[in-house]
C-alpha cells in the first residue's frame, strides 16, 4: 500500500511537471522565425543616440519613429534630452533616412522632462503617437497626416513604456509597466489600461499592486499585437527572473488581456546580433524590441542596440511570417 502511494505521488509529480512545460510552451515562440538582421538596414545617425523604434507603413513608405538625443552625451543623456524623430524607407528593413524631429519636451507642460518611448498607431483617419515624459507619465499626440502637424494631449495614463493595441471598433488597449513596492521589493509590474477611444479616459484593468505577469516577473519595453485570438507581448526580461538572463527578449501571451503566461524561458533575443552576411556583433545593451505586424503576421523585429563605444543604433531583423499558434518553423 505504501509502495502504491509512493508510485502515485511520483506519477502525479511527473504529470504536473509535464503540464507545466506544456503550459509554458503552448505554441512555438517567435525566436525560430527571426532571421539574421540586415547588415546595412535599420537606422544609424551620427548626430543621435537612437532608441525605442516604432514603425508604420503609409502608402509605399515605411516611417520609423524613435527616441533620439545628442550622440555625444551617450546613453545617460536620455533623461534630459530625449526627443522623438521620424525616419523613412521604401524597404521595411531599411536603411532608414532621417526626415525630421517630431516632438520635443515642453516647458511648463506634463511632458517637460523628455519625449521618450514613442509608439505610432493609426486609429481611423488619425495617426496617434503615444509617448512618455518622466516615469509613469504617458500621453499622446495626434495628427491627420504622418508628417503632422501634431496636437498633444494632457497626461492620460500613470505608467511607462506604453504599447498600444487598436481594436477594430476603435477602442484602445495599452500595455505597459509600473514600478511599485510589493512587500519589501520594488517590482516593475505589467500593467494595462483601456479606453473606448484613444482620447480616453483610460481605465486601469488591475489594482496598482497587482502584476499581470505570473510570479511577479518584471519587464521593460513591451511591444504588443493581436493574433490567434490573444494578446501577444514581447518585452525585456528586467532582472532576468523569467529566463535566468537579465534584459534579454522574452515572450508572453494572454487570452483576456489581464492574465498573462510566459511562453518559454528560452530568450528570443540576446545582446549578440547575427547579420545576413554571416558576421556577428556583440552589443553592450540590446533592448526596446518592436514587432512590426501586418494583419496579425509579424514581418520584422526591431531592436535598440548600444555599441561598445556607447553609440545607439536601430537594428532590423526580417521575420519569417510569424503567427503565434499558427506558424511552424523548420527548426521545430
Amino acid at each position: 500500500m505504501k509502495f502504491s502511494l509512493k508510485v502515485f505521488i511520483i506519477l502525479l509529480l511527473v504529470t504536473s511537471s509535464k503540464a507545466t512545460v506544456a503550459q509554458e510552451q503552448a505554441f512555438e515562440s517567435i525566436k525560430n522565425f527571426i532571421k539574421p538582421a540586415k547588415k546595412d538596414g535599420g537606422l544609424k545617425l551620427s548626430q543621435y543616440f537612437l532608441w525605442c523604434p516604432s514603425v508604420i507603413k503609409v502608402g509605399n513608405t515605411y516611417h520609423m519613429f524613435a527616441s533620439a538625443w545628442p550622440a555625444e552625451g551617450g546613453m545617460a543623456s536620455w533623461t534630459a534630452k530625449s526627443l522623438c524623430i521620424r525616419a523613412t524607407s521604401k524597404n521595411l528593413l531599411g536603411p532608414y533616412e532621417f526626415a525630421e524631429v517630431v516632438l520635443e519636451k515642453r516647458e511648463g507642460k506634463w511632458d517637460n522632462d523628455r519625449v521618450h518611448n514613442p509608439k505610432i498607431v493609426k486609429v481611423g483617419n488619425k495617426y496617434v503617437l503615444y509617448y512618455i515624459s518622466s516615469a509613469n507619465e504617458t500621453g499622446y499626440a495626434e495628427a491627420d497626416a504622418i508628417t503632422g502637424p501634431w496636437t498633444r494631449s494632457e497626461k492620460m495614463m500613470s505608467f511607462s513604456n506604453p504599447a498600444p493595441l487598436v481594436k477594430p471598433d476603435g477602442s484602445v488597449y495599452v500595455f505597459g509597466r509600473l514600478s511599485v513596492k510589493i512587500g519589501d521589493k520594488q517590482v516593475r509590474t505589467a500593467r494595462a489600461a483601456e479606453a473606448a477611444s484613444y482620447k480616453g479616459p483610460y481605465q486601469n484593468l488591475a489594482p496598482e499592486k497587482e502584476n499581470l505577469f505570473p510570479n511577479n516577473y518584471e519587464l521593460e519595453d513591451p511591444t504588443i499585437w493581436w493574433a490567434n485570438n490573444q494578446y501577444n507581448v514581447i518585452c525585456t526580461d528586467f532582472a532576468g527572473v523569467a529566463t535566468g538572463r537579465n534584459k534579454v527578449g522574452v515572450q508572453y501571451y494572454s487570452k483576456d488581456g489581464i492574465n498573462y503566461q510566459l511562453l518559454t524561458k528560452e530568450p528570443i533575443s540576446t545582446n549578440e546580433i547575427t547579420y545576413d552576411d554571416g558576421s556577428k556583433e556583440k552589443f553592450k545593451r540590446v533592448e526596446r524590441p518592436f514587432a512590426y505586424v501586418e494583419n496579425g503576421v509579424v514581418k520584422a523585429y526591431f531592436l535598440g542596440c548600444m555599441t561598445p563605444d556607447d553609440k545607439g543604433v536601430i537594428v532590423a531583423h526580417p521575420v519569417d511570417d510569424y503567427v503565434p499558434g499558427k506558424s511552424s518553423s523548420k527548426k521545430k
Side-chain angles (χ1 to χ4, degrees):
M1 195 67 184
K2 289 182 179 179
F3 176 77
S4 297
L5 180 59
K6 184 177 181 181
V7 170
F8 173 76
I9 292 172
I10 291 172
L11 288 173
L12 183 63
L13 289 172
V14 170
T15 302
S16 175
S17 175
K18 287 183 177 179
T20 300
V21 171
Q23 184 180 24
E24 288 183 349
Q25 299 178 349
F27 48 86
E28 197 170 2
S29 82
I30 196 174
K31 180 179 184 295
N32 293 340
F33 297 81
I34 298 174
K35 296 180 178 180
K38 186 178 180 183
K39 186 65 175 286
D40 64 346
L43 177 62
K44 296 179 182 178
L45 296 172
S46 60
Q47 71 270 39
Y48 287 122
F49 190 110
L50 301 167
W51 217 234
C52 315
S54 179
V55 177
I56 191 170
K57 187 178 184 181
V58 181
N60 62 353
T61 302
Y62 296 93
H63 298 257
M64 178 187 290
F65 290 75
S67 298
W69 54 93
E72 61 268 20
M75 170 63 82
S77 290
W78 77 271
T79 57
K81 297 182 178 180
S82 184
L83 49 80
C84 176
I85 66 163
R86 182 175 61 89
T88 62
S89 174
K90 296 296 184 182
N91 187 318
L92 172 59
L93 302 175
Y96 284 78
E97 295 183 358
F98 175 81
E100 64 172 340
V101 172
V102 180
L103 297 176
E104 298 181 76
K105 65 182 181 180
R106 300 178 297 173
E107 294 300 324
K109 303 291 185 179
W110 75 270
D111 48 4
N112 63 331
D113 288 313
R114 64 191 73 95
V115 172
H116 200 60
N117 290 166
K119 289 285 177 62
I120 184 69
V121 293
K122 191 174 185 184
V123 186
N125 294 321
K126 292 283 188 178
Y127 294 96
V128 184
L129 182 64
Y130 289 83
Y131 65 97
I132 73 165
S133 181
S134 63
N136 307 329
E137 289 184 318
T138 290
Y140 66 81
E142 61 179 308
D144 294 324
I146 198 67
T147 53
W150 298 90
T151 301
R152 308 196 207 197
S153 72
E154 296 300 323
K155 187 183 85 167
M156 304 301 290
M157 286 162 277
S158 295
F159 57 75
S160 295
N161 298 169
L165 179 65
V166 181
K167 298 183 178 182
D169 64 358
S171 63
V172 181
Y173 172 98
V174 183
F175 188 85
R177 63 98 172 153
L178 176 68
S179 182
V180 298
K181 192 167 186 179
I182 299 178
D184 59 353
K185 182 183 178 184
Q186 204 72 22
V187 179
R188 297 198 175 201
T189 61
R191 311 297 306 153
E194 63 182 3
S197 160
Y198 70 90
K199 293 181 179 292
Y202 287 82
Q203 301 296 325
N204 289 325
L205 298 183
E208 183 178 279
K209 293 193 175 183
E210 185 174 320
N211 192 347
L212 302 187
F213 279 175
N215 305 315
N216 267 337
Y217 290 149
E218 297 187 68
L219 79 151
E220 279 188 329
D221 325 333
T223 180
I224 191 169
W225 75 102
W226 177 266
N228 195 26
N229 293 315
Q230 65 191 25
Y231 299 85
N232 301 281
V233 167
I234 295 172
C235 59
T236 299
D237 183 17
F238 188 83
V241 179
T243 62
R245 297 181 62 180
N246 188 33
K247 291 200 171 185
V248 295
V250 63
Q251 187 173 352
Y252 292 85
Y253 66 98
S254 172
K255 292 296 183 181
D256 59 8
I258 298 174
N259 300 288
Y260 279 83
Q261 297 295 323
L262 175 67
L263 178 57
T264 173
K265 287 182 172 294
E266 183 180 17
I268 63 171
S269 56
T270 66
N271 66 334
E272 184 173 84
I273 301 291
T274 299
Y275 293 104
D276 54 8
D277 65 355
S279 64
K280 295 185 178 182
E281 187 171 8
K282 194 167 186 178
F283 292 93
K284 287 174 71 174
R285 295 171 67 167
V286 172
E287 301 173 23
R288 306 296 171 187
F290 176 76
Y292 175 82
V293 180
E294 291 183 355
N295 300 317
V297 181
V298 184
K299 298 285 188 178
Y301 182 61
F302 295 84
L303 292 163
C305 301
M306 178 178 168
T307 64
D309 58 346
D310 204 15
K311 299 292 190 301
V313 300
I314 306 298
V315 170
H317 288 270
V319 175
D320 193 13
D321 290 350
Y322 175 68
V323 181
K326 305 289 185 182
S327 303
S328 180
S329 73
K330 295 177 181 178
K331 296 180 182 179
K332 190 174 180 180

